[in-house]
Amino acid sequence: MNWDWSAVRDFMPRFWDGVLTTLEILAFGSLISFTLGLVWALAFRAPTRFVRWPVNLITEFIRTTPLLVQLFFLFFVLPEWGVKFSALTTGILAIGLHYSTYTAQVYRAGIDAVPQGQWEAATALSLPAHRTWFAVILPQAVRRIAPALGNYVISMLKDTPLLAGISVLEMLQQSRLAGASTFQYTEPLTVVGVAFILIAYPASLFVRALERRLVR
């Protein structure tokens, strides 16, 4: 088999479009997962079980069903109920929602790890609930869980190719389309594989460095 550099050159415009789309999915999906995950985590600690039980049921259902099934449900089933998004928006929502159930557990572990004395000190100072959470508890919790959240960002990156299933033009879908038009799949797929390594590996090194720094 001969490596065809002309195929790589022809693939580059598609490739960079796919990179930008992949990074867009990763950025907005991470934002949704981190924000919604915090909402889930706070709901886990709600004083009434009528909030805790439905939240636990919903998050467990999402966490234990495949992302691809959820992706197809949002893309193919919701339009039958009059709710329709573009393929890209659907993919971002699916990844953000799916991973929010994992980040929720990370947030919960971080909150539980905050020493009881911090809660007692906030109570002794008569801090209102919102200041207790956002000025005392959450800053300490996030410091402990930042590396774990970083690992989930890498996991989201590796799951972006699933969005090819609903024709989102991320890197894998672009390589498939390029291969279909030229009947040369080796070059575009290899370029995409290398791109994932070049993005994910430095990110994993950063997460490890962050973990070492935060545990000092």
Side-chain angles (χ1 to χ4, degrees):
M1 181 189 69
N2 294 323
W3 181 265
D4 188 348
W5 286 105
S6 64
V8 175
R9 184 184 63 250
D10 294 341
F11 174 57
M12 282 296 105
R14 286 182 179 271
F15 169 71
W16 289 117
D17 287 343
V19 169
L20 292 176
T21 301
T22 297
L23 294 178
E24 182 180 359
I25 295 166
L26 185 62
F28 286 105
S30 298
L31 180 62
I32 292 172
S33 68
F34 291 167
T35 304
L36 187 55
L38 179 58
V39 173
W40 295 135
L42 296 178
F44 290 151
R45 302 180 68 92
T48 171
R49 62 185 179 182
F50 295 108
V51 174
R52 295 194 306 270
W53 286 4
V55 168
N56 272 292
L57 182 62
I58 292 170
T59 55
E60 282 299 314
F61 176 79
I62 295 173
R63 193 155 59 97
T64 54
T65 54
L67 172 57
L68 191 59
V69 172
Q70 296 164 18
L71 186 65
F72 283 175
F73 184 89
L74 292 177
F75 190 70
F76 294 111
V77 177
L78 286 188
E80 296 181 5
W81 299 348
V83 181
K84 187 174 183 179
F85 302 105
S86 68
L88 178 59
T89 300
T90 301
I92 291 171
L93 291 175
I95 281 188
L97 178 62
H98 184 79
Y99 276 93
S100 72
T101 61
Y102 291 94
T103 59
Q105 298 300 326
V106 174
Y107 280 120
R108 180 155 69 173
I111 292 169
D112 290 343
V114 175
Q116 184 62 31
Q118 297 295 311
W119 295 91
E120 295 170 353
T123 302
L125 293 172
S126 299
L127 294 180
H130 70 277
R131 286 203 62 194
T132 298
W133 276 105
F134 291 101
V136 179
I137 304 303
L138 288 180
Q140 296 183 63
V142 169
R143 183 176 182 273
R144 290 174 167 85
I145 65 176
L149 294 178
N151 286 329
Y152 279 118
V153 173
I154 297 172
S155 295
M156 279 186 267
L157 170 66
K158 293 189 292 185
D159 274 347
T160 55
L162 291 176
L163 274 59
I166 58 171
S167 300
V168 173
L169 297 177
E170 45 69 61
M171 289 192 290
L172 180 65
Q173 180 71 347
Q174 291 285 14
S175 69
R176 190 189 70 80
L177 293 176
S181 64
T182 63
F183 301 102
Q184 293 176 293
Y185 288 92
T186 301
E187 291 81 4
L189 286 173
T190 302
V191 169
V192 168
V194 171
F196 272 106
I197 294 173
L198 293 178
I199 297 172
Y201 186 65
S204 66
L205 293 179
F206 172 77
V207 169
R208 293 177 193 172
L210 180 64
E211 184 173 9
R212 288 194 297 269
R213 182 176 180 84
L214 292 179
V215 297
R216 289 179 181 176

